[in-house]
Amino acid sequence: MGPGSRPPAVLWAPAGLLLAFLLAPLLALVLVLEPAQLLAHLRSDVALRALLLTLRTTLVSTAACVVLGLPLAWLLARREFRGKAVVDTLVDLPITIPPVVAGVGLLLAFGRRGLLGRHLEVAGLSIPFTTAAVVMAQVFIASPFFVRAARAGLAAVNPRLEMASRTLGAGPWRTFLTVTVPLAGPQLLAGTLLAWARALSEFGATMMFAGNFPGRTQTLTLAVMTAMESDLDTAVAVSVLSLALGAGALVGARLLAHRVGVGHA
Amino acid sequence: VRNLAACLLAVLLPTTLRADEVLRVLAIPSLHEPLAEVAQVLERTRPGHRVRVEAVPGPELRARSERPHAADVVASDLVQDGLPVFARSAMAVVVPARRPIVTELAHLGRPNTRVAMAATAVPAGRTTARLLQRMDESGRFGAQFKLRVLVNVVSEEMEARAVLARVADGDADAGLVYAADAAWAGRDVQVLAIPPELDVPAGFAIVVPPTATRPGLAHDFVELVQGPEGQAILQRHGFGRP
C-alpha cells in the first residue's frame, strides 16, 4: 500500500476506539467545571503556590537537563568509546523504571542515611524535603527525554559542514556554537520542551524523595493528590492547569519537530 | 526505605484470583496485618472460602470503595456518621531508634527539628491536628506549642504508615502516627507515648458496601472482627477496644 492510498476501513475501528479512549478522561477533566468555577479554584492559595513552585523547579531542572545533557548527547552522537552501549542504556533507564522506584533509589542515595546523603549530612546538607530534592527528582526522570532528542539532532548534522567551518579557521567551540547548535536547534528545543513537560508531570519520585509540603515541595501533581482528599473541585482545577501546561509543551515540541521536517525536505 | 518498599509491594502486587471466588477486603495499611490474621481465622472455619485482604492507601481506598462491586468489606480510619467503630488507637510520637534528637515530646517544637505528619486532608492528619491542639492547651510543652510544631513539619503524608516510614528511614526526626503503627515498626523506631489524659484516640470503621458481591460472607467477616477473637487479634497488634 503506497502512501496516500486510502487505508482500509477496518483500521479505523480500533484506531477510533483508542482515540476515543484517550480523549474521554481529558474531556471529562475539562468539562466537569464551569470556566468561572475553574478560575475561582485556580486562584486558591493551594493552586497558586503549587503553580509557582512547579514553574520555579521545572525551570531549574530543565536548565540542568540541557547544561548537563548536551555534552552527553554530543559524546553519544559523535564519539565511539568503550561501554557506549552501557551508557546508552543507562541514559534511557529512567524512562522505563517506575518513578516511585526512582524516588526510593534517590532516598537510598541522597537520604539523610543514604549512601552519599550521610556524608552530606555530616557537612550540614540535608536534601530530602527540600525544593532541591524536587529539582533532583525532576532531573532524574526528565533528562533522558532531552538527551535522546539532542543526540538525534546532533547526529543529523552533516559533519562536512563542521569540517568546512574548521577549515575556515573556526575553533571547535566556535564551530559547535555557530554551526552545530543552530543546525540541530529545533531538535534541541523540542527535546528541551519534552523534558520540561515530563518534569511538569513528575509525581512518584518527587513524593518519595521530596515529600509533600505546600510552597516547598508540593508541586501541581502533589497538590492534586492532596486536594483529592478534601476538595475535589480544586483537584480538578489544578489537573486542568497541568493538562494545559503539558499540552502547550507538546504542541510546541511538535511545531519545532515539524520545522525540522520541512528544513530537511 | 525498607518500609516504603514494603508498602509499595503490597500495593503493586498483582491480583490474580478471580473476584467471585474470594472475599475482597480493602484495608488501609495500618489495619492490614490484623485483618489478614482475621481472614486466616475465617478461612480455617469456612473451608473452601478465600479471603484476600489488600492494603490500600487511604486516598486510593476511598476512591476505589466508591466504585460499585469493588470490594466486599472496607476498613479504614475514616469514621463517618453511623459507621460502626471496631477498634481504636492512641496516637504516638515516633523517633528514629538510632541517635534520636527528639527524646521528649516538648522537643517536637524545638527549631530545626524535622517533623513528619499526615496531611490534614486525611483522617490521620485531622486526629494529629486535634492532638497538637490538646497538647498546646495543656500548657505543658511551652507557649505556642502547636504553632512551633507545625513550623517544623517537613512533609504532609497521605497515610500514617508513610509518616512512620519517614522516621524509620531516618529522614524525619520525629513523626506523629497511630500507636498501633509504632508497635508494628519494631526496632527501627522508638516510641514517645502521649500522656493518656491528653490523647485523642483515633477510631477505625468497617463497612460492607451496598454493592458487595458476597454480602453474606462479608458480614461474617465483620462479625468476626468485632467479636472476641477478632478483638484479641487487634489488641495483639496494638489496637484498643472501640
Side-chain angles (χ1 to χ4, degrees), chain A residues 100 104 107-108 111-113 121 126 128-129 207-209 211-214 216-217 225-226 229-230, chain B residues 1 4 8 58-59 62 96 98 114 119 121-122 153-158 166 169-173:
Chain A
V100 201
V104 174
L107 261 185
L108 281 170
R112 288 170 80 187
R113 292 191 178 163
E121 183 76 10
S126 178
F129 310 128
M207 184 190 68
M208 277 288 154
F209 183 46
N212 177 32
F213 195 84
R216 202 182 302 150
T217 61
M225 172 193 76
T226 310
E229 277 296 294
S230 54
Chain B
V1 172
L4 283 176
L8 263 183
R62 286 181 273 286
R98 277 193 298 158
R114 271 164 270 215
V122 300
V153 171
V154 289
S155 190
E156 296 177 351
E157 305 292 338
M158 303 310 286
R166 295 290 187 202
D169 295 338
D171 286 312
D173 298 317

Side-chain angles (χ1 to χ4, degrees), chain B:
Chain B
V1 172
R2 231 176 329 120
N3 300 307
L4 283 176
C7 283
L8 263 183
L9 271 182
V11 173
L12 297 178
L13 271 183
T15 53
T16 48
L17 293 165
R18 270 177 53 202
D20 54 345
E21 289 172 348
V22 291
L23 186 76
R24 290 157 310 150
V25 180
L26 297 187
I28 57 164
S30 300
L31 290 167
H32 180 250
E33 286 82 15
L35 292 189
E37 257 185 64
V38 174
Q40 283 176 0
V41 174
L42 190 69
E43 283 178 346
R44 266 204 304 279
T45 54
R46 297 292 197 80
H49 292 289
R50 310 271 312 263
V51 183
R52 193 185 69 223
V53 183
E54 206 182 332
V56 184
E60 190 193 331
L61 176 134
R62 286 181 273 286
R64 270 173 71 177
S65 56
E66 276 169 21
R67 292 205 296 267
H69 314 294
D72 298 308
V73 178
V74 177
S76 85
D77 51 0
L78 183 64
V79 181
Q80 282 163 328
D81 293 336
L83 290 187
V85 171
F86 71 97
R88 292 200 180 275
S89 172
M91 296 297 288
V93 170
V94 284
V95 300
R98 277 193 298 158
R99 299 191 302 274
I101 67 161
V102 172
T103 51
E104 53 183 275
L105 294 176
H107 292 171
L108 284 176
R110 286 207 299 210
N112 299 320
T113 308
R114 271 164 270 215
V115 176
M117 67 176 267
T120 49
V122 300
R126 289 193 287 272
T127 310
T128 302
R130 285 210 305 278
L131 171 71
L132 289 174
Q133 185 67 32
R134 278 194 81 170
M135 290 173 79
D136 188 322
E137 284 163 4
S138 77
R140 285 154 64 174
F141 305 99
Q144 305 238 293
F145 176 70
K146 183 181 180 184
L147 189 69
R148 284 185 290 121
V149 175
L150 291 181
V151 165
N152 283 339
V153 171
V154 289
S155 190
E156 296 177 351
E157 305 292 338
M158 303 310 286
E159 188 67 56
R161 277 281 168 94
V163 175
L164 186 71
R166 295 290 187 202
V167 177
D169 295 338
D171 286 312
D173 298 317
L176 290 122
V177 297
Y178 296 134
D181 284 322
W184 173 80
R187 285 182 303 176
D188 288 339
V189 301
Q190 286 176 40
V191 178
L192 305 181
I194 310 287
E197 66 275 16
L198 295 180
D199 191 42
V200 182
F204 299 86
I206 193 162
V207 65
V208 177
T211 61
T213 46
R214 311 194 66 187
L217 196 61
H219 283 290
D220 290 349
F221 182 84
V222 171
E223 265 172 42
L224 190 60
V225 169
Q226 290 169 327
E229 219 168 340
Q231 291 295 311
I233 291 170
L234 282 161
Q235 275 170 40
R236 265 211 313 286
H237 286 274
F239 289 91
R241 291 189 175 281

Side-chain angles (χ1 to χ4, degrees), chain A residues 175-189:
Chain A
T175 299
F176 181 72
L177 290 175
T178 57
V179 177
T180 316
V181 167
L183 282 172
Q187 288 256 46
L188 295 180
L189 267 174

